[in-house]
Amino acid sequence: MQGNVYLVWVMDENVLAEGIVASPGIAVGRAHVSRKIDILEKIRSERVQNVTVEVEKLKNAGNILAEKLNEIKRLLPKEEQEIIDAQLLILDSFVSEASELINSLGYSAAFAVREIYEKYGEMMRQGGELFALRAQDLRDLASRLVGLLSEQSISTSARYEVVIGEEIDPIEFLELANSGVKGLVTKEGGVTSHVAILARLRGIPYIIARKLDINKIRDGITVIVDALNGLIILEPSEEELKKYEAIAIEYRKLLEAFSRESKLEALTLDGHKVNIYCNIGNFEELRILDEYGCEGVGLFRVEFAYMQRSSPPTEEELYELFSKAAQILGEKPLTVRAPDIGGDKPIPFIELPNEANPQLGLRGVRLLFKYEDLLLVPLVRALLRASVHGKLRLMLPMVSTVDEVLYFQEVVERERKNLESSGVRTGRLELGVMIETPSAALLANDLVERGGLSFISFGTNDLTQYVLAADRGNSLVSYLYDELNPSVLRLISLAVKRAKGRAEIEVCGEVASKPLAIPLLIGLGVESLSVSPQFVGKVKYIIRRVTLSKIKGEVENIIEVAKTNIDIKKWSEALLRSSGITFIE
């Protein structure tokens, strides 16, 4: 089994559709077509006699749904829980605002929920995404709430092994995963969507097939989800089943190889060391990093400390969190990203404006500076104090100008002096920024030199969507979104050249764990890759089988002469094959 192309003979008439691989693997099982009943469309305006009773019904339904969400949350790995937290936030808004409509206008609970859904749905259509959920997620939550009020089901999903549908939302996916579903196929969605991320975390093969004809599928027939080549095969022959069984065995062997490599150093064949850090989203994950072979934390998302609170965390709360985290990691670096909130990430204690384009509006560093005393100062002071316990680093998100970095440095030094003048010890706190905007990439050298930065970290998810002007969560333009587009790589190359030797160069976006991207990144001069813990073994497996001196001379040339991402990928595939690397993209 060589490269990422698995040659499998299949009858043309058996191949239902080709699609995009959102989560790799092979799944074989009985198919079920998931068909949702559109409860919201059936609701008509209705007034009630007793608003108190109606509000109580709504609150009871909200409590049942919240209990269900929390039950799912408790079953999940820690890195998945923030998705449920977002659902709980919007559920609370639904119940609260719908209750106000019932009390003021006498609406039925179901109609009030629909009205609130329409209100936020319209905001999303206008570009004002107030919640970290897509419009379909919002609609599904409203439908579930109305379903509880009317005692109806919104889905006919059964416990089959392969689920096929128009679109699956995160809650439904988690329910299916917990019931033992082996594979998933949808017409809509994206490779960076919540469902795709969850599928990869759970190891569930998932294909997005936009040309899929669901009407050709009967419940109960055998289906192969080939999420290595992106094929959906109906009613396979015995020969086809045997071939796919052999492929699945080879794939499992590859995963075992990744596991064996995870505790080893990421050294290229010519002895070049690459640091492999981990991206984490809560405190509990720190305790298990050694199990995965993480060499530190390249991205600690601290938004969890700010969500579902009526007030921001205090300096003392943050100090306790970071000091304990530093003690757990010892000499390993802990990179805290200042809370990247705003845009489509709400927090209860700040009323965010309704912006026409929130991704280009008040988010990241802009929000942190606007609410400096509330958000930034307590964070900085807590980290300065906690840095006496370990190697702490503070990273600023969504930077676009040198002035922002200068002011960032000014705030840190001011608070250091304030603490020390009060007799409080501080340690060395390294400063860095996320390179997520084209302007930050172009200014990389100035940001490092003027801001006294120790490191820069490319957030390739946002950087790619801003370079290509393509929303990574929008299925209508997802065909444009590709981190290996030559324009994205050329911009990264330019930034690396300007900052190399002056600051540590890191990548913490999802591309850091993609096999085709890894040789390109290290060839460009990236020194550290920060990935989800479960991908550490895969990344080390690839790095330990390539020769940096060989790659270095070729990478710069290929990204300059390449016309499309296909040219880039062909080069990378050929390199991996010539290095004897078996991989799954």
Side-chain angles (χ1 to χ4, degrees):
M1 187 173 66
Q2 292 291 320
N4 75 328
V5 179
Y6 295 78
L7 299 178
V8 180
W9 177 82
V10 292
M11 295 290 289
D12 287 345
E13 60 267 27
N14 283 14
V15 178
L16 176 64
E18 295 184 25
I20 300 167
V21 174
S23 176
I26 299 290
V28 180
R30 294 177 303 145
H32 171 66
V33 180
S34 176
R35 296 181 174 88
K36 293 184 179 180
I37 300 167
D38 195 344
I39 293 177
L40 294 179
E41 287 298 319
K42 297 180 179 180
I43 299 172
R44 298 292 178 264
S45 178
E46 183 183 357
R47 307 277 177 169
V48 295
Q49 296 295 321
N50 193 326
V51 296
T52 303
V53 170
E54 204 69 9
V55 168
E56 192 62 28
K57 281 172 55 181
L58 177 60
K59 288 182 178 178
N60 286 339
N63 289 336
I64 292 170
L65 185 50
E67 186 178 336
K68 187 173 183 180
L69 290 169
N70 277 310
E71 182 181 350
I72 295 173
K73 179 180 174 180
R74 287 191 292 271
L75 295 172
L76 298 177
K78 299 297 182 182
E79 63 267 23
E80 298 180 28
Q81 293 185 358
E82 64 182 28
I83 296 173
I84 301 300
D85 288 334
Q87 297 277 5
L88 288 165
L89 274 176
I90 200 167
L91 173 61
D92 185 63
S93 294
F94 264 132
V95 173
S96 176
E97 295 188 39
S99 295
E100 291 178 13
L101 282 183
I102 296 169
N103 283 320
S104 60
L105 299 175
Y107 287 154
S108 68
F111 186 70
V113 169
R114 179 181 170 175
E115 287 293 284
I116 299 303
Y117 162 72
E118 292 293 346
K119 168 187 167 183
Y120 287 120
E122 181 60 29
M123 288 180 182
M124 287 186 177
R125 285 188 287 272
Q126 293 175 357
E129 296 191 23
L130 300 182
F131 302 96
L133 300 165
R134 291 178 176 80
Q136 183 59 42
D137 300 328
L138 184 73
R139 185 177 185 88
D140 184 76
L141 200 55
S143 298
R144 287 173 181 273
L145 199 51
V146 169
L148 286 167
L149 288 165
S150 57
E151 299 183 352
Q152 295 183 53
S153 171
I154 64 168
S155 174
T156 58
S157 291
R159 289 192 176 184
Y160 286 84
E161 294 153 314
V162 175
V163 172
I164 303 172
E166 293 284 340
E167 186 167 22
I168 302 292
D169 67 88
I171 299 177
E172 186 172 3
F173 171 82
L174 294 174
E175 290 176 333
L176 292 170
N178 289 330
S179 69
V181 161
K182 296 179 180 178
L184 177 65
V185 179
T186 65
K187 288 191 68 171
E188 302 299 328
V191 295
T192 59
S193 68
H194 282 154
V195 171
I197 293 168
L198 290 171
R200 290 192 289 273
L201 288 170
R202 283 297 187 94
I204 294 177
Y206 173 27
I207 293 175
I208 300 166
R210 308 205 187 286
K211 296 182 180 180
L212 177 67
D213 186 353
I214 291 178
N215 295 322
K216 290 185 177 180
I217 306 168
R218 301 188 315 275
D219 277 355
I221 66 169
T222 299
V223 173
I224 294 174
V225 178
D226 175 1
L228 299 177
N229 292 297
L231 302 175
I232 301 103
I233 303 165
L234 297 183
E235 300 184 285
S237 66
E238 284 299 318
E239 184 181 357
E240 289 165 341
L241 287 171
K242 287 179 181 178
K243 288 185 177 182
Y244 272 101
E245 182 180 348
I247 292 172
I249 291 171
E250 288 297 314
Y251 181 57
R252 284 195 295 272
K253 288 179 180 177
L254 184 56
L255 294 180
E256 289 170 3
F258 294 164
S259 179
R260 290 193 299 270
E261 303 271 333
S262 65
K263 302 292 177 61
L264 304 176
E265 276 195 307
L267 285 173
T268 62
L269 292 175
D270 50 349
H272 179 77
K273 172 77 165 67
V274 180
N275 301 312
I276 308 300
Y277 300 143
C278 283
N279 302 333
I280 65 170
N282 55 65
F283 179 80
E284 286 77 9
E285 289 179 79
L286 290 165
R287 302 185 188 280
I288 60 170
L289 292 186
D290 284 344
E291 296 176 20
Y292 288 97
C294 297
E295 298 168 355
V297 174
L299 174 61
F300 187 12
R301 303 182 186 93
V302 295
E303 288 78 19
F304 73 93
Y306 295 79
M307 304 292 282
Q308 298 194 58
R309 294 178 59 116
S310 58
S311 60
T314 65
E315 177 186 330
E316 287 303 317
E317 288 175 313
L318 292 170
Y319 167 72
E320 184 177 357
L321 169 65
F322 298 138
S323 59
K324 287 181 178 177
Q327 289 167 30
I328 289 172
L329 285 178
E331 296 299 314
K332 295 178 180 178
L334 172 67
T335 309
V336 175
R337 182 182 67 185
D340 186 12
I341 50 185
D344 61 353
K345 298 175 185 174
I347 48 176
F349 50 84
I350 293 179
E351 187 174 348
L352 298 176
N354 179 19
E355 300 176 276
N357 194 336
Q359 293 297 338
L360 299 180
L362 190 63
R363 61 169 293 204
V365 62
R366 303 161 190 178
L367 189 75
L368 292 170
F369 286 170
K370 181 176 176 61
Y371 296 97
E372 179 183 326
D373 291 338
L374 195 67
L375 300 174
L376 186 58
V377 170
L379 178 78
V380 167
R381 289 172 63 90
L383 282 166
L384 284 168
R385 292 167 56 193
S387 59
V388 300
H389 301 295
K391 187 178 181 181
L392 266 62
R393 311 195 303 173
L394 175 56
M395 181 163 62
L396 202 60
M398 280 303 295
V399 168
S400 54
T401 70
V402 172
D403 287 339
E404 288 169 334
V405 176
L406 290 174
Y407 188 67
F408 176 44
Q409 183 188 46
E410 182 183 316
V411 170
V412 173
E413 290 311 308
R414 182 192 71 207
E415 295 308 320
R416 182 189 299 278
K417 289 177 183 177
N418 289 340
L419 285 167
E420 291 178 351
S421 65
S422 301
V424 178
R425 284 180 61 211
T426 65
R428 181 169 184 264
L429 178 62
E430 295 184 11
L431 303 182
V433 297
M434 295 277 284
I435 304 295
E436 301 169 280
T437 63
S439 64
L442 292 169
L443 292 168
N445 181 52
D446 300 302
L447 295 175
V448 169
E449 288 195 346
R450 297 287 304 281
L453 304 180
S454 300
F455 66 98
I456 60 173
S457 186
F458 290 90
T460 51
N461 295 351
D462 271 328
L463 182 61
T464 300
Q465 73 171 347
Y466 291 136
V467 169
L468 298 175
D471 179 359
R472 62 195 178 99
N474 186 337
S475 61
L476 297 175
V477 296
S478 60
Y479 67 95
L480 290 169
Y481 181 91
D482 192 328
E483 303 101 326
L484 299 188
N485 185 287
S487 62
V488 178
L489 292 173
R490 288 174 194 173
L491 191 58
I492 292 174
S493 175
L494 178 63
V496 171
K497 286 177 184 175
R498 292 183 175 180
K500 186 77 170 177
R502 299 175 178 86
E504 185 176 349
I505 311 293
E506 305 172 14
V507 172
C508 65
E510 194 171 358
V511 73
S513 63
K514 293 186 175 181
L516 292 180
I518 292 167
L520 289 159
L521 294 175
I522 65 174
L524 288 174
V526 172
E527 299 158 301
S528 304
L529 300 174
S530 191
V531 300
S532 294
Q534 70 272 20
F535 297 138
V536 168
K538 177 174 71 173
V539 174
K540 290 184 178 181
Y541 172 90
I542 292 170
I543 290 172
R544 289 172 55 82
R545 285 163 176 76
V546 298
T547 304
L548 182 62
S549 57
K550 175 185 176 183
I551 296 173
K552 221 170 181 180
E554 298 180 21
V555 166
E556 192 166 326
N557 179 62
I558 185 62
I559 66 171
E560 287 302 322
V561 302
K563 303 296 188 295
T564 69
N565 54 352
I566 300 300
D567 297 330
I568 301 283
K569 290 176 180 178
K570 283 182 178 178
W571 174 86
S572 194
E573 284 180 4
L575 174 81
L576 293 177
R577 288 197 192 96
S578 67
S579 302
I581 296 172
T582 300
F583 71 100
I584 306 296
E585 180 69 336

